[in-house]
Amino acid sequence: MKLYMSDLYRVELHYPLDEVQNDILYYLYQPLIGTNALSTYMMLYTEGKRMSRFLKPSSLSRLVSFLSSSLMDLEKHLKALEAIGLLKTYVRHENNITQYIFIIQSPLTLKTFFRNQILSSLLQESLTQDDFQKTIQYFKISQEDLSGYENITSSFTDVYTIQHKNKTTHVLQMKEFKEKQVSDIDILYDMDLLMKGLQDYQIPRSLLTKDDLKYMAQLGSVYSIDALTLAGMVKEAMCSNQLDKKLLKNKIQKYCDINSMSSLKEVHHKQPLQYQTQNQQQTPLVLHMQYLDAITPYELLKEKQGGSEPVFHDLMIIETLMVQLGLKPSVVNVLIEYVLGKNKNRLSKRYCEAIGSSWARKHIETAMDAYHELMNENIDNQESHQDHLEEQKLEQTEVNSEKLFSLLDKLEEGQL
């Protein structure tokens, strides 16, 4: 949305915040969205309590003034609140007038927040380990040991009786009560592809609950796991026809540690100048090698995928080749093109590491050397194949000769 100072707004609020919800906002949500976004939320919340007293909607310039903020910052903070599930926004354009309705959403409960893999993981990333544990401890309630005590609490029917004086009326009109507006965060995950992957692994949909699917999608989003890879991990985490959530998360963490995402640095490096192609000829091969020198492995993968972001799994393969094997960027670029061409546009970890380790032992450091190595390997393979065919022909000839000599011997002995 593009906001203008003259745009109008109203705020709708269904339930006031209680003390625990206030603590949740400041201790759990604030580290994720920042103090300015939380201030915007609290301002809108306060407006929502008083908005019924306004005869007309207010302009956004009023909100900007109270927050001592710019319109651009306000737009950013509103989007942050929407994305985290604390705000829903509706807009109407009529007679050249734009009016927004901001509907305040209550924060998630403690249990729901920490069961949400996206929010809990982000909070853990935003805080130090010590502060994260302190935050959890803050919300824990110390309970008295009740062993040895007897529960003597009176029940409702022990104390109260209801006398129906007028049976045509109801004590409570339920339609007068509105439900608390709580909104979980929206995530975009390819559930159709995930379901297809699960079907390929022969995991029936009936074995998974809605909560299971939601949990899987959250983990897939947090750890940037593609749907097909996630489906394989789900298969490994199925125990007695049920999803073991703890086992699934452990497998994903082992496969792709969230802390390592920030360490993907080598994939963004270009070929060092001293190892670039120095040939001055303008042949198509030289020009292509110079192109591979000037582009990072990350950029090459992104280009191969039509501009879309490379999946973390592929980037991890490339990072391993560059960090553990010490391969130069353009050498990896040659390897990427070769493996994608040979393996139906898929990067195989074992295939890449097999070729990469061979090149590392041979100290191949330039794109041209990598190209010639591939050509030599292909020639060797062809020669090996040709030698194999000639050996087969020779063996066949020897067999035929033996048969011929056997026939001649039998002729001489009069056996034929």
Side-chain angles (χ1 to χ4, degrees):
M1 59 182 174
K2 178 63 177 176
L3 302 180
Y4 296 93
M5 288 290 193
S6 58
D7 292 344
L8 304 178
Y9 76 96
R10 280 187 173 277
V11 182
E12 186 173 323
L13 175 68
H14 295 294
Y15 269 89
L17 297 173
D18 58 34
E19 186 176 350
V20 174
Q21 288 175 317
N22 267 300
D23 289 346
I24 290 174
L25 284 169
Y26 281 99
Y27 281 96
L28 305 185
Y29 281 89
Q30 184 173 239
L32 306 183
I33 62 177
T35 56
N36 292 328
L38 183 58
S39 296
T40 302
Y41 177 87
M42 298 307 295
M43 181 65 199
L44 290 174
Y45 168 76
T46 305
E47 290 267 271
K49 293 193 296 184
R50 306 285 187 268
M51 191 60 82
S52 59
R53 302 181 184 181
F54 299 162
L55 298 177
K56 296 181 180 180
S58 302
S59 65
L60 287 179
S61 59
R62 177 178 183 276
L63 193 57
V64 168
S65 299
F66 272 95
L67 291 170
S68 299
S69 175
S70 67
L71 194 62
M72 185 179 300
D73 287 338
L74 175 62
E75 183 175 337
K76 181 176 67 175
H77 299 152
L78 291 174
K79 286 183 177 180
L81 294 173
E82 292 167 359
I84 207 80
L86 291 175
L87 182 69
K88 285 189 178 295
T89 303
Y90 295 84
V91 64
R92 182 179 68 185
H93 305 284
E94 188 176 14
N95 298 328
N96 294 324
I97 297 176
T98 299
Q99 180 170 331
Y100 295 95
I101 296 181
F102 300 124
I103 302 180
I104 299 294
Q105 307 294 298
S106 298
L108 298 177
T109 63
L110 282 171
K111 185 176 181 180
T112 307
F113 184 97
F114 284 106
R115 288 178 64 180
N116 186 301
Q117 295 303 302
I118 295 178
L119 293 178
S120 58
S121 297
L122 287 177
L123 181 63
Q124 193 166 4
E125 287 296 302
S126 301
L127 304 175
T128 65
Q129 186 63 28
D130 185 49
D131 286 336
F132 181 72
Q133 293 300 326
K134 285 181 179 178
T135 300
I136 295 177
Q137 196 66 33
Y138 176 83
F139 287 101
K140 286 186 176 180
I141 299 175
S142 58
Q143 294 182 338
E144 188 71 30
D145 183 9
L146 298 180
S147 57
Y149 288 81
E150 180 185 358
N151 186 355
I152 60 171
T153 306
S154 300
S155 67
F156 179 86
T157 53
D158 290 338
V159 180
Y160 296 101
T161 57
I162 300 177
Q163 296 180 357
H164 300 280
K165 295 182 179 179
N166 187 348
K167 296 184 178 181
T168 60
T169 61
H170 296 285
V171 177
L172 296 178
Q173 298 292 329
M174 296 303 294
K175 64 181 180 180
E176 296 295 329
F177 294 89
K178 293 183 178 180
E179 293 184 359
K180 185 179 292 186
Q181 297 294 301
V182 177
S183 178
D184 207 344
I185 61 174
D186 294 325
I187 57 173
L188 296 177
Y189 196 76
D190 196 342
M191 296 302 295
D192 292 336
L193 185 59
L194 176 59
M195 296 307 300
K196 185 179 183 304
L198 294 174
Q199 186 177 359
D200 292 340
Y201 284 113
Q202 299 182 342
I203 301 176
R205 169 66 179 84
S206 57
L207 296 182
L208 300 170
T209 65
K210 289 183 178 180
D211 188 54
D212 290 337
L213 294 174
K214 183 178 179 181
Y215 185 83
M216 288 152 53
Q218 289 175 354
L219 287 178
S221 298
V222 169
Y223 293 95
S224 298
I225 301 290
D226 64 274
L228 295 180
T229 302
L230 179 60
M233 294 182 180
V234 171
K235 175 178 173 59
E236 296 176 358
M238 295 297 293
C239 300
S240 303
N241 289 331
Q242 287 184 331
L243 177 65
D244 188 330
K245 294 181 179 179
K246 186 176 181 180
L247 178 59
L248 176 62
K249 188 171 183 179
N250 288 339
K251 286 185 174 296
I252 290 178
Q253 286 177 334
K254 288 181 181 178
Y255 172 80
C256 170
D257 188 353
I258 194 171
N259 293 324
S260 66
M261 286 189 178
S262 60
S263 66
L264 292 178
K265 299 175 182 178
E266 297 299 322
V267 296
H268 299 285
H269 288 174
K270 295 181 181 179
Q271 182 77 345
L273 185 61
Q274 65 269 30
Y275 297 109
Q276 292 184 7
T277 304
Q278 304 299 328
N279 197 321
Q280 299 300 320
Q281 298 178 1
Q282 297 297 301
T283 64
L285 176 60
V286 171
L287 291 175
H288 188 66
M289 294 300 106
Q290 290 174 346
Y291 159 74
L292 294 180
D293 287 339
I295 193 172
T296 68
Y298 168 82
E299 292 170 336
L300 180 62
L301 277 176
K302 190 172 183 179
E303 186 177 287
K304 294 291 183 183
Q305 296 179 185
S308 61
E309 195 72 17
V311 297
F312 187 66
H313 172 261
D314 290 351
L315 293 176
M316 278 294 293
I317 294 175
I318 304 307
E319 187 81 5
T320 300
L321 294 174
M322 300 178 73
V323 174
Q324 295 186 4
L325 299 180
L327 296 182
K328 297 292 187 291
S330 65
V331 173
V332 171
N333 286 340
V334 174
L335 180 57
I336 290 173
E337 291 193 330
Y338 178 74
V339 173
L340 290 178
K342 286 284 188 179
N343 202 35
K344 299 180 181 179
N345 282 323
R346 291 179 297 184
L347 277 184
S348 167
K349 188 172 186 292
R350 290 184 178 179
Y351 196 10
C352 289
E353 289 180 349
I355 298 175
S357 59
S358 173
W359 289 2
R361 287 191 293 268
K362 294 178 181 180
H363 303 290
I364 293 176
E365 297 179 324
T366 68
M368 191 64 76
D369 287 345
Y371 170 78
H372 288 312
E373 180 65 21
L374 287 175
M375 293 301 100
N376 292 336
E377 287 179 2
N378 287 335
I379 292 174
D380 291 342
N381 290 336
Q382 290 175 2
E383 291 178 349
S384 176
H385 182 64
Q386 187 65 32
D387 292 342
H388 181 64
L389 291 177
E390 291 179 357
E391 287 177 2
Q392 286 183 326
K393 288 180 181 179
L394 182 59
E395 289 175 359
Q396 188 64 39
T397 302
E398 291 175 352
V399 170
N400 292 337
S401 298
E402 289 177 0
K403 288 182 178 178
L404 178 60
F405 291 136
S406 176
L407 288 172
L408 290 174
D409 292 339
K410 289 181 181 179
L411 279 172
E412 290 180 356
E413 296 172 0
Q415 296 179 7
L416 291 178

